[in-house]
Amino acid sequence: MTRLVLGPLLRHVSDTSATVWVETDGPCEVRVLDSTARTFAVHGHHYALVEVDGLEPGSQTPYEVALDGAKVWPEPGASFPQSRIRTLDPNGPLRVTFGSCRRAPASEDEHGLDALVPFAHRLAAGGEWPSVLLMMGDQVYADELGEEMKQFIRSRRGPGERPRDELADFEDYCRLYKLAWGEDPAVRWLMSTVPVFTIFDDHDIRDDWNTSYTWRQEMWSLPWWRDRIVGGLGSYWVYQHLGNLSAEGRAADPLYKAVREAEDGGTLLDDFAERADKEPETARWSYAHDMGGTRLIIVDSRSSRRLTPDSRAMLDDGELAWLEDQAAGDFDHLLLGSSLPFLLPRAIHHLESWNEAVAEGAWGRLAGRWGEKVRQGADLEHWAAFEASFRPVAEEVIRVARGEQGRPPAGISFLSGDVHYSYLARAAMPSTETVVTQVVCSPLRNPLIRKFRWANRLACTRAMAWPLRALARLAGVPRPPLDWRITEGPWFENAIATVEIQGRRSTVHWEAPNSETMLTRLGQARLSA
C-alpha cells in the first residue's frame, strides 16, 4: 500500500480552484475531491500536485486525500479538524498572514516557541481565518542543523567526506523538508488547510547565498558545492516553487511537463537547477497573483541577482522589467513580498550602501578587499547594498504611488523577514495619498541573540542614521529616492503578522507565542486609510 510521506500541503488557491501537493513513498494516483493526478518521480521520490477546480467563490470544502483509492488523510485519530479548502471571496476581507526564519523541529528549546503552532491551535478553535500564509524565506536551514538531521547526514557520509553537518544534495534536502513540515502535527495540519505561498532566502541554500561575485567564486571552488546548489534549487522547485504557481502557470512550464513525462525527472531537474544558478536569467522564481482588488508580487531577491566582476544588481535586467510590468495596473493595494526588507533601519541602510561603494572600489583596491570581507562577515547584502536595484525599484514605487502606472493604490506595502526582528517603517510621500510602508515580521522561530538585539535597537534610532549617511556620502552614494522612518517596533520575539485588507483600508498586527496554544499581540498599525 502506498503511503503519504509529506503533506498534504494546500498551495495556490483562487476564487474557484486550489492546488494540493503531496509526497508519497511510491508511484500512485492521488485523489482530492473529484480531481486526480498521477505522481511524478525525482531522484526516486514521488510527488503530485492535484488541481481542484469548479469550486464556489468564498466557499469552504472539507477534503480527503486518497492514494490508489485508499484514504490516507485525515489520518486515523487526528486531533485537528478536517482540512478544508477555503476559496477566495473577491468581495470579502483579505487576510495575508506572514513570517520568516523558522528553525525546526520544535524540540530544540533554545529557539523558543514556534509561532506557527499556537496560530494553528487558534484556527482549530475557530479563530479568524487567513486568506493565505506567506512563508517569506528560510523555511529550512540547510547550514544550521538539528541533531536528528545531523545524524541522518552522518549515516550517508564516509569518513572525512564533505560537507560535514551541512546538506550536500537533493536527498538531504528531502529529509530536511520532512522534518520541517511533517513532524509537528499542528504545523502539518496548518499547511494542509491554509493556502501557502513561499519564497527562498539564503539559509534555504546557505548563509550569505549570492552575497557577491567573490562569494560565488569561493563557493564554486569547493568540490561539493555543485551537488549542494543543484540539490537546493531542485528541491525548492519541487517542494516550494511549483505550488506558488497557478494551474495555468504550471501548464506553461516546459520543465514541469518534461519531468512529469519522464520515468524519473532527476537529471532534467539537476540540469535546470545548475543552469538557473549559473545563468539566473534562464529561470524565474518570482510570481504575482491578484486577490480581489489586491495585487501580490513576490520578488526573488536571491537567485536573480546579477553578480559579475564589473556589475552587480539585486535583480537582473529581465527580473527588474518583469517587476515594473507587474506593478503597473489599477488596484486598491499593492503588496510587494521580498525575503529581504526593502526599507531597513536608516542607519543600517546607509552602512550597507557605504560598504557596497567601498567594496566596489570607491576608496581604492586595498579598501575594496577589506570592504568585501566586511560585507561577507557582517551580512551586508540587503537591497541597500545593491544601489543599481534599490534606486530603480524605489523610483518605480514612486511612479505607482503618483498614478503614473495606473490608478494609484491606497497602499503599497513591502512584506519581508530575514532580520530576526519585526517593525513597521513609513515612507514620506508628500505628492500622493498612497501610503508606502515596509512591514517586517521575523522570526517565526529563531530569535536574535541579546548582543545583536542591542545593536539593532540602537540602529533603529534616528540619531544613528545621520553619521552613517555622511559616511555613505563620502563614498559617493547618492541620497535615496525615498525618505522613511521606523514608526512601530522593533520587536525581537518569535512572531507572526497579519495584514488585513477591506476595500481601500488596510491594517497590520504582529503576535508572539506565549504558550503552545496562545498568541499575544505585540503591536498593530493602520497601513492605509
Side-chain angles (χ1 to χ4, degrees), residues 105-364:
S107 59
E108 300 169 15
D109 294 335
E110 67 268 23
H111 301 301
L113 296 169
D114 184 351
L116 292 183
V117 172
F119 186 70
H121 280 283
R122 187 171 68 190
L123 295 184
E128 207 166 50
W129 212 265
S131 307
V132 64
L133 172 63
L134 300 182
M135 304 285 280
M136 296 302 299
D138 295 344
Q139 279 71 260
V140 293
Y141 278 73
D143 51 351
E144 298 177 14
L145 306 177
E147 190 56 37
E148 186 173 358
M149 189 65 211
K150 288 180 181 179
Q151 291 177 4
F152 175 80
I153 286 175
R154 290 163 188 163
S155 72
R156 302 187 63 230
R157 304 278 199 277
E161 190 176 353
R162 306 290 294 179
R164 300 295 293 178
D165 294 340
E166 287 192 42
L167 304 196
D169 55 19
F170 186 89
E171 189 67 30
D172 285 349
Y173 268 100
C174 293
R175 180 66 175 179
L176 185 59
Y177 277 111
K178 186 175 186 297
L179 291 174
W181 294 350
E183 294 298 293
D184 190 298
V187 173
R188 189 178 183 190
W189 174 80
L190 176 69
M191 297 182 74
S192 77
T193 198
V194 174
V196 177
F197 290 138
T198 70
I199 193 65
F200 42 42
D201 200 18
D202 57 343
H203 288 285
D204 290 272
I205 301 296
R206 197 176 198 267
D207 189 26
D208 299 339
W209 176 33
N210 280 350
T211 293
S212 64
Y213 175 78
T214 300
W215 185 92
R216 286 184 57 83
Q217 294 298 103
E218 291 172 353
M219 296 310 300
W220 270 101
S221 70
L222 299 173
W224 50 267
W225 178 248
R226 188 264 178 193
D227 288 345
R228 168 64 166 274
I229 189 64
V230 164
L233 287 177
S235 63
Y236 176 84
W237 186 86
V238 173
Y239 286 84
Q240 300 195 52
H241 175 70
L242 286 176
N244 292 330
L245 305 178
S246 65
E248 295 77 13
R250 282 189 298 276
D253 184 348
L255 177 63
Y256 182 54
K257 181 177 185 295
V259 168
R260 291 174 68 196
E261 292 176 349
E263 182 176 350
D264 188 299
T267 300
L268 292 171
L269 188 55
D270 289 353
D271 291 343
F272 163 80
E274 183 171 6
R275 185 168 60 253
D277 181 66
K278 292 180 175 178
E279 304 171 31
E281 66 278 5
T282 63
R284 172 154 294 129
W285 307 103
S286 303
Y287 55 94
H289 298 299
D290 288 337
M291 297 180 286
T294 298
R295 177 161 295 172
L296 172 68
I297 304 174
I298 304 297
V299 182
D300 163 24
S301 54
R302 280 290 173 186
S303 185
S304 65
R305 297 179 179 186
R306 183 177 68 238
L307 299 170
T308 67
D310 55 0
S311 178
R312 54 183 270 112
M314 182 74 80
L315 307 178
D316 61 36
D317 293 344
E319 198 72 11
L320 179 61
W322 177 88
L323 174 58
E324 291 174 343
D325 182 63
Q326 295 299 319
D330 297 328
F331 34 81
D332 293 323
H333 300 273
L334 176 61
L335 301 180
L336 292 166
S338 166
S339 62
L340 303 175
F342 188 74
L343 301 177
L344 289 165
R346 291 298 292 266
I348 299 176
H349 177 96
H350 296 319
L351 177 65
E352 294 203 9
S353 61
W354 162 81
N355 174 259
E356 180 194 33
V358 172
E360 297 304 304
W363 288 357

